[in-house]
Amino acid sequence: MSGPARGRLRRVVSLRAALACLVLIGFDGTLVRAQTLTPDLFRPTRDGFVAPQDSPLRRTAGTMDDKTSDAVNDARLREKDRDTPAKSRIGGQIPTYGLPAASGASSSGYDSLNRTRKKPKLYPGQAKPKPPPGPGSRAPMVSNGPMRLSIPPSESANKPPMPPAMAGTVVGQPPRKRLRLDDDPFGAVGDYAGGFLIKSAVELSAGYDTNPGRTFVPKGSPFYVIAPEFLAVSDWQRHAVVADLRGSFTGYSNNFPPPTDGTISSAPVDVDRPDFTGHIDGRLDVSRDTRLLGQARLRVSTDNPGSPNIQAGLARYPVYTTLGGTFGVDQNFNRLQISAGATVDRTVYQFSKLTDGTSTSNDDRNFNQFGGVGRVSYDLLPGLKPFAEIEGDSRVHDVKLDRSGYARDSSGGYVKAGSSFEFSRLLTGEISVGYAARDYVDTRLNRLEGLLVASSLTWTATPLTTAKFYSTTSIDETTLPGSAGVLTHVYTVEVDHDFRRWLTGIGKFTWGSLDYEGDVRRDKIYSISGELIYKLNRSLWLKGTLRRDWLDSNLPGNSTNSTVVMLGVRLQH
């Protein structure tokens, strides 16, 4: 069936169903009940026709300060809710129905949606709290013995009151900056005087030397040493001045009278010896790349015991003084550095006192030295700076002919090349190799020349062990007839080890050679020593030294040896 007939059939079926429903309603005897009209029926919220206190979906905790049932039932609050309009979808605000997920979780509670918790705001300077233990944290150590208190007793002990600003307990106060670790916790602190940092010290030692005169037949004597030190360093942004003064005096309680058989001793009767080395360095910064340099130096000492330059029959060692200075300029051209300077020195010897009460002059050993030095270096790599240096000088003596009739005025110099380096502070220093020569006015004196080796290396093998290597080459004057001078090479190896921060051991080995040009004499020197330093505090050290010295000569009767034992104390500030 199709068309209009099918439509009429559907209307007939619907009419029959409606008549059946009306018949059933008419036979029902229940009275019709009307629903009371209340304002809650028009509330635009979910389940608004039910009172809030009767709602099965009511909130158990609200944002009101007072969460009692009286506040919830207050008619004024209901009137407030009645006047609040619903959130509009048109404005982009989507109304929230019911309780959102994790709405009851606090800032540190469980969140079913795994949302990032809001970090607490810290006031300036407040320490960040430690994260709570979780996966990957170390398990607590469990010991069978008694548990150790987490807070040491010293924290709860009675302490003197401290201002909150110093204790760091003021709210909002930034934490106090930690002091840098002291590289030398037992070193001298010093005092500031104006723009200078001044450090001073003195060492008082006593011991025994088995051969203080370094004679072929040894004769020992107790001795004492007084060694003061003074260091002043400027603390300026520009320019610099450094004063380093170190001296010592060695006194012996025994004298060495001349032999009774009438022979002349090679050692003086009184072997007391002074020794002083001091220099003052200055730098004037003219500009960023130009600096003026200057140095004033002073050396006071005597000839070394056992030296052939010592006269026979002396009552005491004659003291010599060398006073000099260097004045120059230092110029930088990017990585290229050029330095040049002029040097002048004056050496003067005292009169020699003899055992018979007379004295002799040493004017023939007095001389002036004038010279110049130039140096060119280049910063090739960080920590690697090769250089080349050249020096020339002239020596003019006060007396044209010495006591043996030789004219010892001379001129000479050296040329050397090397590099200074610094590799990660593990290996630092400077090493160079060159050639040194000196020509004399007297044709009977041969030219003195030889290989020049100069170095100063420091190797930090471990944080507790340091090795050092030194080497020097010099051309020295002599009084031996027919000898032009002495070519001296000295090499030293030193190892320092800290058993504790307050206990240090030092081992040192020195060897060298002395070649007398124009003479058959050749000397070799050796020295080995060990030193132990016990540092009580910054101001007081205890020191013990044991040393053995040898002088091996190719001439019979000139070889010597000696053993030195010494204990002392160092006072510094």
Side-chain angles (χ1 to χ4, degrees), residues 504-561:
T504 302
I506 302 175
K508 183 184 296 184
F509 177 69
T510 301
W511 74 99
S513 62
L514 291 84
D515 296 332
Y516 293 84
E517 178 62 33
D519 194 87
V520 296
R521 178 164 180 162
R522 299 290 183 273
D523 293 344
K524 295 183 179 180
I525 57 175
Y526 306 94
S527 177
I528 185 171
S529 65
E531 187 173 4
L532 192 64
I533 302 177
Y534 180 73
K535 304 173 183 178
L536 296 176
N537 49 50
R538 284 186 179 271
S539 303
L540 182 60
W541 294 5
L542 301 179
K543 304 178 67 174
T545 304
L546 176 62
R547 189 179 77 244
R548 177 72 173 176
D549 300 330
W550 296 271
L551 188 149
D552 185 12
S553 179
N554 61 342
L555 296 182
N558 291 279
S559 298
T560 63
N561 59 77

Side-chain angles (χ1 to χ4, degrees), residues 64 228 385 529:
M64 300 177 296
K385 191 174 183 179
S529 65

Side-chain angles (χ1 to χ4, degrees), residues 363-366 395-410 441-442 444-445:
D363 291 343
D364 58 338
R365 302 186 67 181
N366 301 340
R395 295 177 181 176
V396 180
H397 289 73
D398 293 354
V399 179
K400 185 175 182 180
L401 300 179
D402 68 353
R403 65 194 66 183
S404 301
Y406 289 89
R408 293 195 173 274
D409 292 347
S410 63
V441 174
D442 199 321
R444 294 174 296 175
L445 299 176

Side-chain angles (χ1 to χ4, degrees), residues 30 50 82 109 178 238 337 377 381 407 427-428 464 509 531 556:
T30 306
V50 181
R82 184 186 310 166
R178 298 185 61 182
R238 294 187 59 193
Q337 182 178 1
S377 59
L381 294 172
L427 181 61
T428 60
L464 301 178
F509 177 69
E531 187 173 4

Side-chain angles (χ1 to χ4, degrees), residues 166-243:
M166 295 184 61
T169 57
V170 178
V171 177
Q173 178 186 4
R176 300 184 65 183
K177 184 179 179 180
R178 298 185 61 182
L179 298 178
R180 184 178 64 87
L181 294 178
D182 195 347
D183 298 332
D184 188 5
F186 291 93
V189 180
D191 293 320
Y192 280 94
F196 287 86
L197 174 62
I198 298 177
K199 297 182 180 181
S200 59
V202 60
E203 293 189 11
L204 306 175
S205 305
Y208 188 83
D209 191 342
T210 59
N211 190 6
R214 302 300 188 266
T215 56
F216 182 72
V217 179
K219 181 180 179 182
S221 172
F223 70 93
Y224 63 91
V225 179
I226 303 175
E229 299 177 8
F230 178 84
L231 177 64
V233 181
S234 64
D235 187 15
W236 305 334
Q237 293 183 354
R238 294 187 59 193
H239 319 302
V241 174
V242 177

Side-chain angles (χ1 to χ4, degrees), residues 286-350:
V286 179
S287 65
R288 186 188 66 175
D289 298 325
T290 305
R291 295 172 294 274
L292 299 180
L293 307 177
Q295 183 189 70
R297 51 185 174 268
L298 176 64
R299 178 87 166 105
V300 179
S301 187
T302 64
D303 291 321
N304 293 324
S307 172
N309 296 330
I310 299 176
Q311 297 174 255
L314 289 175
R316 63 172 60 92
Y317 290 112
V319 178
Y320 74 85
T321 302
T322 300
L323 177 63
T326 300
F327 308 94
V329 61
D330 189 356
Q331 178 68 41
N332 289 346
F333 300 96
N334 200 355
R335 293 187 177 184
L336 182 65
Q337 182 178 1
I338 299 177
S339 303
T343 62
V344 55
D345 294 275
R346 168 70 175 170
T347 300
V348 178
Y349 280 81
Q350 288 182 339

Side-chain angles (χ1 to χ4, degrees), residues 11-27:
R11 289 192 291 270
V12 171
V13 173
S14 300
L15 183 58
R16 289 177 181 176
L19 291 174
C21 291
L22 292 175
V23 171
L24 292 176
I25 293 173
F27 284 101

